[in-house]
């Protein structure tokens, strides 16, 4: 029995959107799911009990950050990340690839791996498929991501082809190294914006038979139409009995499109990052809490929301906290935004169960007008 | 029946240290007590439920800050501060005097009151005994502090005398204005470092018959010996059947000395401020969590502590959070430090109940070695 298994419960008849369940050694959770991000072993400002209460079954943490600080040996010594951060739900760790490749001139890629300088102290570090797997084994995450190159946009065909082929070779090395029976290794599809390379990436990864697949290299600055075109092309070739994960996506409009294209899992720092900017996420779009219109507004952030912030506090109070730089304000907005995305994914799931996902999507996108300019997480 | 009443339960035979109970419209709490500070209507990073859990029966909030932002009218409109910040325990508000007088050249004192410039936007503002009372009535705090001048140190006799006399006149104006039956107004003893002026201040305030008295104008930079001498002199003249409050004091050594001199109530930003600097308060002194010695230390902050942080997390994890600027680290340290002071005041109370406070004080001060230089809160 593999560590990570997926049950497809229902597909929306018209769109193919999927409702499922993912089983892990640390519990099962329904999909589609949004995973809160705890970059450094803590979802910013939020306790594990609060994460449980708002319905998060899995959180994401970052190999790159934990590798540099406090070091994966220390996390292992603590008994693994679950114990270190006191979270008994599931944990997914990324591979560190995304962060390392984002360093630009500070890193050097070879077939063996990537040499780079730590953003913390400038010291020389090395990550490779084997090192990434060892770090993730030390961390003890339930879902482990393969070490890949996230190809920047734009990139030419030759570069994309060479990089994608290397990512496949690296995926094989990851699989050979990752032998822990309690952890499930997901492959990451690359291929840039070239359909034939995406196809080849899928085929070669599926041959390696991972318990799940991520669609990587999207949401990297390309136009949205192109992103959805690539997503569509990629997902339709992935096996139906494995979960599909769209990395780094967390705005509601991208979530609804992702689900329509057959995605099951999402993650993004978006909800906690905008909370720290004083922004609440709602079904109608973003609310910038500093705005004067909320001064005397004693309603909750959202009338029908059951989160801790909405059960207890008014917009006027939260506005006061944000204007006064009170960290409790960030905490309330983080709780609300994370709960919003849990409610949002559960509503999507319900719509799928009732074969009305297409209608849900249209109605949602119609009413959803961003108050501010939108960035893809 | 006055809004605020005090029951003297027990006095330590040798030292005269007091164990009591204060009754307020929002519950009763044992004394000696330390009041967490929620300057702007929020104890930094801590929820009301967490405050309850750690044993806080009363919190302090600041008239000056709420007056400027969001404005006391808004707090009133919200149904008062209890409702605004969702805290159903007791609230004490200071009068704004301390902050206004700290503004130095930015304020001008007349008999009528103080004109000053807001530190937020530079706008011209006015606080007087009547305005301070109105603001505190809008806020709806249980314990209201009289509007006084906190005399700086050093100050000459003539200035101290004139200021103390004005504080007494202002105290009378406060009493005349504050008519709410659900709020108790405390007088504030001034008199600087002059015993005869302290005596006169006490006598004139006691004549006005307040339900409680604060000892103001201490811990303003004077030597500790002088502070305790003045405290001793002041407290012994205060009525035994009313609570006594030493303002702005929150380090354990000052608390134990204050209690020995007959003080019942304390407040200070110290525990949450040092938490934000990554410091834990313990029976042995301060722990600076960034220090390398905690890297592999998987023990809780304090072995015998029952706070949320100590029940769940290791020093190594908290050190990691602090080094990584994770706000959950500040939250854990704030919870621990506030709980530490609750445990500390309860231990003092127990020692008083058992007539061994003198021994408790000696043993505590012997073992308590500050790791870093000490500032009086």
């Amino acid at each position: 029995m593999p560590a990570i298994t997926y049950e497809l419960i229902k597909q929306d008849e018209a769109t193919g959107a999927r409702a499922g369940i993912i089983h892990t050694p640390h519990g099962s959770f329904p999909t589609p799911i949004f995973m809160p991000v705890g970059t450094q072993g803590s979802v910013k400002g939020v306790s594990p009990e609060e994460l449980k209460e708002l319905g998060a079954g899995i959180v994401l943490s970052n190999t790159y950050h934990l590798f540099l600080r406090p070091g994966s040996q220390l996390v292992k010594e603590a008994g693994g990340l679950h114990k270190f951060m006191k979270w008994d739900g599931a944990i997914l760790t990324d591979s560190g690839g995304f962060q390392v490749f984002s360093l630009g001139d500070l890193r050097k890629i070879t077939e063996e791996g990537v040499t780079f300088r730590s953003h913390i102290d400038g010291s020389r570090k090395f990550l490779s498929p084997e090192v990434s797997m060892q770090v993730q084994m030390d961390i003890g995450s339930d879902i482990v991501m393969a070490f890949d190159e996230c190809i920047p946009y734009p990139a030419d065909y030759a570069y994309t082809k060479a990089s994608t082929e290397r990512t496949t070779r690296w995926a094989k090395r990851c699989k050979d190294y990752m032998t822990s029976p309690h952890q499930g290794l997901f492959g990451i599809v690359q291929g840039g914006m070239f359909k034939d390379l995406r196809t080849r990436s899928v085929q070669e990864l599926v041959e390696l038979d991972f318990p799940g697949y991520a669609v990587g290299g999207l949401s990297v600055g390309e136009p949205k139409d192109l992103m959805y075109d690539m997503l569509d092309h990629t997902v339709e070739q992935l096996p139906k009995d494995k979960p599909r994960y769209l990395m780094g996506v967390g705005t509601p409009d991208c979530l609804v499109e992702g689900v329509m294209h057959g995605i099951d899992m999402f993650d993004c720092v978006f909800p906690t990052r905008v909370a720290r900017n004083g922004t609440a996420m709602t079904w109608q779009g973003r609310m910038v809490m500093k705005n004067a219109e909320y001064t005397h507004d004693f309603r909750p952030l959202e009338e029908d929301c059951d989160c801790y912030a909405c059960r207890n506090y008014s917009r006027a109070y939260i506005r006061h906290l944000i204007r006064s730089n009170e960290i409790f304000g960030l905490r309330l907005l983080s709780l609300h935004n994370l709960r919003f995305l849990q409610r949002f994914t559960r509503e999507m799931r319900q719509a799928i169960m009732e074969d009305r996902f297409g209608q849900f999507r249209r109605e949602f996108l119609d009413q959803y007008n961003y108050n501010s300019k939108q960035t893809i997480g």
Side-chain angles (χ1 to χ4, degrees), chain A:
Chain A
M1 180 80 172
I4 306 296
T5 57
Y6 173 76
E7 274 183 81
L8 176 60
I9 301 292
K10 173 86 174 81
Q11 259 191 301
D12 180 67
E13 273 182 16
T15 66
R18 292 148 52 103
I21 299 176
I22 293 177
H23 303 283
T24 84
H26 286 88
S28 303
F29 49 82
T31 58
I33 192 154
F34 175 83
M35 301 181 281
V37 177
T39 306
Q40 308 185 105
S42 166
V43 177
K44 293 204 185 303
V46 178
S47 75
E49 291 79 6
E50 288 164 341
L51 287 171
K52 272 277 158 68
E53 189 198 302
L54 64 84
I58 178 168
V59 301
L60 180 143
S61 197
N62 289 87
T63 285
Y64 170 82
H65 288 96
L66 294 175
F67 173 59
L68 295 185
R69 188 173 55 196
S72 64
Q73 269 302 324
L74 184 78
V75 177
K76 185 182 182 179
E77 209 183 316
L81 185 58
H82 291 89
K83 212 173 153 193
F84 195 47
M85 69 181 284
K86 210 80 182 183
W87 168 251
D88 63 4
I91 296 176
L92 179 149
T93 38
D94 67 3
S95 67
F98 181 77
Q99 284 79 13
V100 170
F101 285 101
S102 305
L103 291 172
D105 290 345
L106 292 172
R107 46 87 180 149
K108 196 187 153 213
I109 312 169
T110 65
E111 182 65 22
E112 182 55 21
V114 185
T115 308
F116 63 99
R117 295 218 173 260
S118 159
H119 76 279
I120 298 172
D121 60 8
S123 64
R124 202 182 159 84
K125 300 280 179 183
F126 178 70
L127 265 182
S128 66
E130 290 78 14
V131 174
S132 176
M133 290 305 104
Q134 186 58 54
V135 169
Q136 294 183 75
M137 283 164 81
D138 290 346
I139 290 171
S141 43
D142 301 279
I143 299 179
V144 165
M145 300 306 296
F147 189 70
D148 65 326
E149 180 185 2
C150 179
I151 300 165
Y153 176 83
D156 64 30
Y157 189 84
Y159 183 90
T160 305
K161 182 165 182 288
S163 167
T164 303
E165 287 169 359
R166 187 174 51 218
T167 286
T168 301
R169 290 192 298 274
W170 282 359
K172 188 163 185 329
R173 280 165 58 188
C174 288
K175 202 188 169 198
D176 290 344
Y177 194 94
M178 170 56 66
T179 52
S180 161
H182 309 298
Q183 299 180 275
L185 172 64
F186 280 25
I188 303 178
V189 178
Q190 293 291 346
M193 304 301 157
F194 302 99
K195 289 190 176 173
D196 64 319
L197 298 181
R198 288 266 164 198
T199 298
R200 230 184 96 188
S201 178
V202 169
Q203 285 170 347
E204 291 173 350
L205 291 177
V206 167
E207 221 163 275
L208 290 171
D209 190 26
F210 292 106
Y213 297 90
V215 183
L218 293 182
S219 187
V220 290
E222 76 281 12
K224 278 201 180 180
D225 285 355
L226 182 55
M227 167 177 160
Y228 293 129
D229 191 27
M230 283 298 139
L231 187 58
D232 211 30
H233 175 80
T234 305
V235 171
E236 69 184 14
Q237 302 178 65
L238 286 169
K240 285 207 180 321
D241 60 345
K242 302 287 172 68
R244 299 128 172 208
Y245 166 26
L246 181 56
M247 304 174 82
V249 165
T251 58
D253 55 339
C254 290
L255 255 60
V256 79
E257 297 294 359
V259 168
M260 197 186 68
H261 289 87
I263 293 293
D264 308 302
M265 303 165 70
F266 303 88
D267 81 284
C268 196
V269 295
F270 185 80
T272 44
R273 195 181 58 202
V274 300
R276 292 197 302 282
N277 294 333
T279 299
M281 298 171 75
T282 79
W283 291 87
Q284 273 72 42
R286 299 188 210 173
M287 286 168 62
V288 176
M289 297 312 298
K290 278 193 183 168
N291 289 350
E293 65 186 293
Y294 305 119
T295 308
H296 299 273
D297 192 339
F298 295 106
R299 290 174 297 171
L301 294 171
E302 288 192 288
E303 293 286 358
D304 63 341
C305 179
D306 58 359
C307 83
Y308 173 80
C310 289
R311 289 201 316 270
N312 290 286
Y313 293 103
S314 64
R315 297 173 181 184
Y317 182 68
I318 292 171
R319 176 174 188 271
H320 164 62
L321 294 181
I322 295 297
R323 288 178 76 223
S324 305
N325 295 314
E326 283 288 346
I327 55 177
F328 191 51
L330 315 182
R331 180 170 158 190
L332 292 177
L333 286 177
S334 293
L335 290 174
H336 173 77
N337 289 352
L338 291 172
R339 178 61 188 156
F340 169 77
L341 285 179
Q342 294 299 326
R343 291 170 62 220
F344 187 71
T345 49
R346 274 153 173 75
E347 288 287 323
M348 287 199 285
R349 193 174 200 271
Q350 194 56 34
I352 294 166
M353 296 303 286
E354 294 166 10
D355 275 327
R356 53 173 177 79
F357 182 76
Q359 183 196 339
F360 171 91
R361 171 176 167 269
R362 276 190 309 278
E363 288 177 1
F364 170 73
L365 291 176
D366 278 352
Q367 74 163 338
Y368 186 79
N369 297 306
Y370 262 161
N371 298 320
S372 49
K373 242 195 290 173
Q374 185 171 342
T375 31
I376 299 175

